[in-house]
């Protein structure tokens, strides 16, 4: 069956064709690890995970690369302001490297909790500094760069088609870029390739280069890593819609200027998670929730959030509220109950997936990842009159895309509140190294029919 995807570059939904038959190179812009990811960020990673799973479901081999931004992302998107990492390090009294390590682990934990498949290749910006310097040199040799007192910049006026992804008039992009003034820039949309460490300041993360000691501009890492790890498989590049005007536009400009060849063929963008009143969830707005706080610690299974994300198409803003979480909680638990009722029949011994239902499901996900429609196809399957064994086999097949752990329901029940309270108290006791209290609480939890396991990722609670 044909797979249709919306390409932001052409602003159209067209049949997907891989550059090399049967395999897809996928690049997804990763987190800046100066803070926890918020559930808005995680919505984008869920959308990208669905994309990856749908490609796999369609029989493609996928090579997936994700960067970890651990240097160079400034508080202003236009190369102004402070480095987010260094600022956080000062505030927390830890080194920038420690900050990066801590929030990288937190991010990996979040995506694990959401059943997001980890990329095949993780790359840290700080591990590709040499390649980033080499790319700037190429651009310099080709005449695309100029120096100012604070860095080396890309001259966007030299790159034809600078607005091909944003589809904006150059003047309106420039207008937006003028907000943060840098009088030395030749054009407001020009962006830093290399920034010098400020005079008299020794940054924690800085490197020598032929232009002076400093650090790479934020957009550079994604160009370098895409080309380094995906080579001739530059199929799909993703991020949130906020990346269209600046980050991805600049990635395209510097990559195509350097190689003289088209960069990625497909650009896909996830819409925002918004909260009451239509405001986007953002760290800069101070209105953000983390998965840990809003779900794990609140005793709501994190897969509820994954399920919630399926209710809105990825190109539409998703509204987040207590009511939407409650609805998703009910929806997931209803689905789990439906599956429990048929699971007894076991997977069909002949592995007999219902072709009719699979077709409907595939049609939905292949229509630009239409998850609301796919969820309707799930209900149609469960309410159909095919036998339970076949239903169960078919739903487990769908779960390759859904990623809701439908074959493993026992682990994913919400804990009753009395158990959750004891679990929280035990966590506190352990944090305070009060082992006796911790053991006593474990016994109390056990008496309520739950087993506690202490694993490197934290405490696991399993129904016995
Ligand atoms: P950052 O760590 O800020 O680079 O963002 C990580 C990813 O989350 C990027 O792909 C952003 O485009 C995306 N993003 C940021 N805010 C939101 C939001 N409110 N809803 C959905 N995605 C977002
Ligand atoms: Zn990127």
């Amino acid at each position: 069956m044909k797979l249709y995807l919306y390409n932001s570059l052409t602003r159209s939904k067209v049949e997907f064709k891989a550059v090399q038959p049967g395999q897809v190179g996928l690049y997804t812009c990763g987190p800046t690890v100066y803070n926890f990811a918020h559930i808005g960020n995680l919505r984008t990673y869920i959308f990208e995970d669905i994309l990856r799973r749908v490609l796999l479901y369609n029989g493609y081999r996928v090579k997936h690369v994700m960067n970890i931004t651990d240097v160079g992302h400034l508080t202003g998107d236009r190369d102004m302001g402070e480095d987010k990492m260094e600022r956080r390090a000062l505030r927390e009294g830890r080194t920038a490297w420690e900050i990066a390590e801590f929030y990288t682990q937190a991010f990996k934990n979040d995506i694990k909790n959401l059943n997001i498949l980890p990329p095949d290749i993780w790359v840290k910006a700080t591990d590709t500094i040499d390649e980033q310097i080499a790319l700037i040199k190429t651009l310099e040799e080709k005449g695309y760069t100029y120096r100012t007192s604070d860095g080396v910049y890309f001259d966007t006026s030299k790159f034809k088609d600078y607005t091909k992804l944003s589809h904006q008039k150059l003047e309106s992009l420039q207008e937006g870029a003028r907000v943060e003034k840098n009088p030395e820039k030749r054009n407001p949309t020009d962006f830093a390739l290399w920034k010098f460490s400020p005079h008299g300041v020794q940054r924690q993360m800085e490197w020598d280069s032929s232009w002076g000691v400093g650090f790479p501009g934020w957009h550079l890492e994604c160009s370098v890593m895409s080309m380094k790890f995906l080579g001739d498989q530059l199929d799909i590049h993703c991020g949130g819609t906020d990346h269209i005007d600046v980050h991805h536009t600049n990635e395209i400009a510097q990559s195509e200027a350097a190689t003289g060849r088209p960069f990625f063929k497909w650009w896909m963008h996830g819409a925002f998670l918004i909260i009451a009143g239509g405001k986007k969830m953002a760290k800069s707005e101070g209105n953000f929730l983390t998965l840990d706080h809003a779900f794990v610690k609140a005793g709501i299974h994190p897969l509820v959030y994954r399920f919630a994300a399926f209710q809105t198409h990825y190109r539409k803003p998703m509204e987040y509220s207590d009511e939407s979480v409650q609805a998703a909680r009910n929806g997931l638990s209803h689905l789990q109950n439906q599956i429990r009722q048929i699971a007894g029949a076991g997977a069909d011994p002949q592995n007999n997936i219902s072709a009719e239902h699979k077709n409907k499901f595939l049609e939905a996900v292949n229509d630009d990842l239409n998850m609301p429609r796919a969820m309707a196809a799930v209900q149609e399957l469960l309410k159909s009159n095919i036998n339970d064994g076949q239903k169960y086999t078919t739903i487990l097949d769908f779960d390759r895309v859904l990623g809701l752990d439908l074959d493993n329901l026992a682990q994913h029940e919400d804990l009753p509140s009395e158990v959750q309270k004891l679990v929280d108290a035990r966590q506190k006791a352990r944090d305070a190294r009060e082992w006796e209290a911790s053991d006593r609480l474990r016994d109390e939890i056990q008496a309520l029919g739950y087993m506690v396991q202490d694993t490197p990722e934290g405490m696991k609670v399993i129904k016995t």
Side-chain angles (χ1 to χ4, degrees):
M1 194 183 289
K2 289 178 177 173
L3 167 61
Y4 291 90
L5 297 174
Y6 183 88
N7 186 352
S8 308
L9 201 56
T10 55
R11 286 202 167 166
S12 56
K13 188 161 76 177
V14 269
E15 188 190 344
F16 174 71
K17 291 240 161 60
V19 181
Q20 295 177 28
Q23 52 184 40
V24 178
L26 174 66
Y27 188 94
T28 56
C29 288
T32 307
V33 284
Y34 71 107
N35 200 340
F36 295 105
H38 57 64
I39 55 174
N41 302 132
L42 293 170
R43 179 192 183 198
T44 293
Y45 297 109
I46 293 173
F47 135 63
E48 294 162 346
D49 184 55
I50 290 298
L51 170 64
R52 172 161 166 199
R53 286 170 179 267
V54 167
L55 289 164
L56 293 169
Y57 199 61
N58 277 272
Y60 287 104
R61 269 177 293 132
V62 180
K63 185 169 177 190
H64 178 192
V65 181
M66 192 191 290
N67 63 307
I68 297 280
T69 300
D70 57 356
V71 68
H73 198 165
L74 304 186
T75 47
D77 261 349
R78 299 268 180 192
D79 309 310
M80 306 287 277
E82 299 167 81
D83 187 315
K84 293 181 179 187
M85 300 294 305
E86 304 240 344
R87 187 168 80 155
R88 187 77 186 195
L90 273 184
R91 200 170 351 136
E92 289 196 14
R94 292 192 273 177
T95 69
W97 303 96
E98 285 166 346
I99 295 287
E101 182 56 29
F102 177 80
Y103 290 111
T104 300
Q105 286 314 322
F107 177 72
K108 289 186 175 172
N109 203 31
D110 282 343
I111 66 167
K112 189 158 169 244
N113 277 334
L114 287 169
N115 251 352
I116 291 175
L117 302 172
D120 301 296
I121 299 175
W122 294 100
V123 213
K124 292 196 263 179
T126 51
D127 283 342
T128 57
I129 300 294
D130 289 348
E131 290 95 332
Q132 296 188 58
I133 290 176
L135 187 68
I136 306 173
K137 285 216 168 106
T138 306
L139 290 168
E140 190 174 43
E141 279 156 24
K142 295 197 171 187
Y144 284 100
T145 66
Y146 63 92
R147 284 178 74 138
T148 69
S149 60
D150 76 344
V152 179
Y153 282 77
F154 184 93
D155 185 341
T156 51
S157 68
K158 297 214 165 129
F159 182 71
K160 193 165 76 46
D161 270 354
Y162 179 69
T163 56
K164 68 178 168 188
L165 178 66
S166 67
H167 297 269
Q168 278 181 302
K169 290 216 160 48
L170 188 57
E171 304 82 68
S172 60
L173 259 193
Q174 290 184 338
E175 212 38 62
R178 247 177 223 119
V179 180
E180 293 184 77
K181 280 207 188 78
N182 177 346
E184 289 183 79
K185 276 194 198 176
R186 292 185 188 162
N187 312 285
T189 42
D190 292 354
F191 56 91
L193 297 165
W194 189 256
K195 290 231 28 176
F196 302 134
S197 295
H199 283 299
V201 177
Q202 182 169 15
R203 285 171 46 95
Q204 297 183 35
M205 291 177 160
E206 59 181 18
W207 295 265
D208 209 2
S209 80
S210 52
W211 309 282
V213 174
F215 58 98
W218 169 47
H219 316 298
L220 213 51
E221 63 187 76
C222 293
S223 290
V224 160
M225 294 169 187
S226 305
M227 296 194 267
K228 175 169 175 175
F229 295 103
L230 295 177
D232 294 331
Q233 289 184 68
L234 297 174
D235 288 292
I236 312 179
H237 196 119
C238 302
T241 45
D242 55 330
H243 282 350
I244 295 175
D245 290 352
V246 182
H247 183 51
H248 288 167
T249 286
N250 292 346
E251 277 188 45
I252 293 175
Q254 68 200 1
S255 308
E256 298 194 353
T259 64
R261 283 187 289 141
F263 194 38
F264 281 86
K265 276 184 90 164
W266 297 79
W267 291 82
M268 294 180 66
H269 295 96
F272 280 143
L273 180 76
I274 54 175
I275 48 166
K279 263 199 158 186
K280 90 169 207 199
M281 183 171 287
K283 286 162 201 162
S284 54
E285 301 279 351
N287 63 5
F288 76 91
L289 293 171
T290 62
L291 189 69
D292 202 42
H293 187 77
F295 288 83
V296 182
K297 294 231 166 72
I300 304 174
H301 198 281
L303 287 182
V304 169
Y305 185 57
R306 186 176 172 97
F307 182 88
F310 296 167
Q311 311 309 312
T312 312
H313 188 264
Y314 79 90
R315 285 197 289 120
K316 295 210 175 95
M318 168 180 166
E319 279 188 45
Y320 182 85
S321 62
D322 289 346
E323 292 75 39
S324 66
V325 175
Q326 196 47 48
R329 226 174 156 174
N330 296 342
L332 181 58
S333 127
H334 177 61
L335 175 64
Q336 291 172 334
N337 282 335
Q338 285 173 303
I339 290 166
R340 260 182 218 111
Q341 279 167 22
I342 56 170
D348 190 292
Q350 272 118 41
N351 198 22
N352 190 356
I353 293 169
S354 155
E356 180 201 339
H357 289 282
K358 175 155 183 156
N359 254 345
K360 284 190 181 152
F361 182 78
L362 193 59
E363 228 167 1
V365 294
N366 279 9
D367 178 16
D368 193 28
L369 319 179
N370 193 332
M371 294 309 287
R373 222 173 103 196
M375 295 315 283
V378 166
Q379 281 308 319
E380 211 178 302
L381 162 74
L382 291 171
K383 290 186 179 136
S384 71
N385 48 21
I386 65 172
N387 71 59
D388 284 355
Q390 197 179 16
K391 265 186 203 172
Y392 189 59
T393 310
T394 309
I395 191 84
L396 292 194
D397 176 67
F398 293 180
D399 203 38
R400 287 163 54 203
V401 173
L402 303 174
L404 290 172
D405 267 1
L406 297 177
D407 59 340
N408 202 4
L409 294 180
Q411 281 194 25
H412 292 290
E413 283 171 44
D414 282 353
L415 295 178
S417 61
E418 44 183 344
V419 178
Q420 186 63 47
K421 269 188 205 141
L422 294 173
V423 169
D424 290 343
R426 183 166 183 270
Q427 188 59 53
K428 264 199 193 138
R430 290 181 66 77
D431 291 345
R433 306 184 148 268
E434 291 164 2
W435 308 121
E436 266 174 41
S438 158
D439 287 348
R440 181 175 41 75
L441 286 158
R442 186 184 47 211
D443 294 344
E444 286 181 37
I445 295 167
Q446 244 162 22
L448 293 174
Y450 289 81
M451 192 173 80
V452 182
Q453 278 177 355
D454 296 307
T455 72
E457 289 97 42
M459 199 179 348
K460 280 216 170 96
V461 187
I462 299 163
K463 200 168 180 185
T464 51

